[in-house]
Structures are given as structure tokens and as C-alpha cells.
Amino acid sequence: MLTDLAGPDAGIQAAEIHPSSIVAEGARIGRGVRIGPWCMIGPDVRIGDGTQLIANVIVDGQTQIGPGVTCYPFTTIGMAPQDLKYRGEATRCVIGARTVIRENVTIHRGTATGSGVTQVGDDCLIMANSHVAHDCTIGNGVIIVNNVVMGGHVTISDHARIMGSAALHQFVRIGRAALVGGVCGVEADVIPYGSVLGNRARLVGLHWIWLKRNGVQPDEIHRLRRAFRALYPRAMEDETSAFSQRLDAVRAEYGNEPRVAEILAFIEAPSHRGLVRVAGGGTASIETDGV
């Protein structure tokens, strides 16, 4: 994730560092890095080539920031987690290439009782005042809009969209390219390409806009729609079959469709939180032992 990092002396010489900023001895700073006024960089930090810390940015702990990242004022990255069990263990924080982190964002490092690392992927946009908690994993190309908060251990897969002021419960999984509406409280998992809305998130359909904008052909979209309606009947009008039976039927008819197969694999994977319920009062939960 870091490219051609120079050693401490050569890296600092190759970087542009404002005299008011403090870069601790031992920090590794890539070439072409720009560190603006009043920043603080800890001794175990690694910053990739061409990254820019505009001003008043704090980076601490065993934190690795990839190349081409932009951090706006008053962001903090790699600070200790807000977990009462944390005792100063050497956990990590990793930020991918070309990610943009806007004002007042906080991204905490992992915990020894979790995965030990908080990770944000490449080409993400995390907007102002959002919080990425300990042991969260965010994929590539994710957009997190203003004021989003998440508990620890949340997983957000590639290209998901989390709209403003959403709140994600700890251990929730958000599937690939899913859409979480604004001011949603998300207490359970959201399937890949799923779209959820409401004060307490409810599944209302698939993320059709993302599918169309990313080159998914109309015939595949039609098959996805049919599979989704078979799995989640409208407003759960059809309660004559159990969810497990509908899973089997969809697998038999549409299981060769890669995106349908991805949704089915997500549903059947181990989960701490179960699945988001369907709008209209029905449930999309699947009964599995011990998950």
C-alpha cells in the first residue's frame, strides 16, 4: 500500500513540512508529502508518497497511510480506541491509497480483542464529522457522507454508500454496493446491492442506481429484480413459505447469476446481527445455529 518510502532523513528532506508541525523521530514520510501547519505525527507512523495533510491533523499509533491520500483539518487517525478493555496494546490503523478524509473525521486503531486493525480501503471518501471506530473494515471506493457514526467491528464492503447521519451498530455488515439512507439506524446486516431506509433501517429494494451507473446490463438487472422479488416478496405478502425455502428456490433458479450468488453467500455467512428486516413488517432473517 506504500510505495518507495524513503528512510526518515531522506523522506523528511523530500517532503514539505510546515515548521509549526511536529514529526516524531522514527516516523517514515514518503516523497512529495505535504504536511501543513500544526500537524502532529507519531513515531510509528508511515505516510505514503504524495499524501497531503492540510492542517491540524493528528496521526498516531502504528498507522500506515497510503500514497495520494488527502486529510483535511482537524482529522485524527490512529488514536486509541474508545474501548474500556483497551490497555495500550500495539494495534494498527491502515488507510488505503487516494482516499479523501474530510474535516473532523476520527478513525481509531484496532483492539487486541478484535482484529487488531482498523482498515480503510483505496479511493474512499469519508465526509466531515464521521467516525470510524476500532476494528472496522471499509472496502474500496466507499462513500461515507457527513456525520455517519459506526460502532466497533463494522464491515463495509466495496462501493457501498452510507448517507448522512446514519448510525451503524457494532458488528454490522454492509454488503458490496449497498445503499444506506440518511438518518438510518442500522442494527443488522444489509445484503449486497441492498437499499435500506427508515429510522430503523428496513430493506426496500436493491441499489438500482449504482447497478445502472456501473455498466450492469438491463437483462442482468431484470434477472436480479426477479430473484430479489422471489426472495423478498413485496411487503412480504407471501408468508406461505419460510425464508429458507425461498433461499433454496432462488438458488435453484438464479444461482448461476454471479450477483445473485454473491447475495446468497452473504446471507448464509456467519453474522452477529442477522439481516435487516424488509419494509412492510416482514422479516428477512434466516435461522442458523450459533450465528
Side-chain angles (χ1 to χ4, degrees), residues 170-236:
Q170 63 185 15
F171 291 104
V172 154
R173 298 180 300 146
I174 307 296
R176 186 162 79 98
L179 173 67
V180 174
V183 203
C184 263
V186 183
E187 300 171 311
D189 299 343
V190 180
I191 62 172
Y193 314 106
S195 177
V196 298
L197 298 172
N199 176 273
R200 287 296 182 267
R202 292 294 181 264
L203 186 65
V204 297
L206 295 183
H207 191 181
W208 305 116
I209 292 176
W210 185 92
L211 292 165
K212 292 174 182 177
R213 287 179 178 174
N214 285 272
V216 180
Q217 297 303 305
D219 57 342
E220 184 179 355
I221 289 177
H222 291 323
R223 291 193 296 273
L224 264 175
R225 181 179 284 112
R226 290 195 294 269
F228 179 81
R229 288 178 177 172
L231 194 57
Y232 301 114
R234 287 185 179 179
M236 298 305 292

Side-chain angles (χ1 to χ4, degrees), residues 114-252:
S115 65
V117 59
T118 301
Q119 185 155 355
V120 178
D122 301 339
D123 301 302
C124 294
L125 171 59
I126 305 178
M127 297 189 193
N129 303 303
S130 294
H131 174 60
V132 180
H134 61 85
D135 303 293
C136 288
T137 300
I138 297 175
N140 300 323
V142 172
I143 296 177
I144 297 174
V145 181
N146 302 66
N147 303 305
V148 169
V149 294
M150 59 191 77
H153 315 276
V154 166
T155 299
I156 303 176
S157 298
D158 295 351
H159 307 298
R161 304 289 187 260
I162 315 298
M163 297 296 105
S165 299
L168 310 183
H169 194 286
Q170 63 185 15
F171 291 104
V172 154
R173 298 180 300 146
I174 307 296
R176 186 162 79 98
L179 173 67
V180 174
V183 203
C184 263
V186 183
E187 300 171 311
D189 299 343
V190 180
I191 62 172
Y193 314 106
S195 177
V196 298
L197 298 172
N199 176 273
R200 287 296 182 267
R202 292 294 181 264
L203 186 65
V204 297
L206 295 183
H207 191 181
W208 305 116
I209 292 176
W210 185 92
L211 292 165
K212 292 174 182 177
R213 287 179 178 174
N214 285 272
V216 180
Q217 297 303 305
D219 57 342
E220 184 179 355
I221 289 177
H222 291 323
R223 291 193 296 273
L224 264 175
R225 181 179 284 112
R226 290 195 294 269
F228 179 81
R229 288 178 177 172
L231 194 57
Y232 301 114
R234 287 185 179 179
M236 298 305 292
E237 295 164 353
D238 177 13
E239 290 287 1
T240 60
S241 60
F243 188 67
S244 59
Q245 294 175 318
R246 295 198 297 274
L247 270 177
D248 291 339
V250 168
R251 184 183 296 104

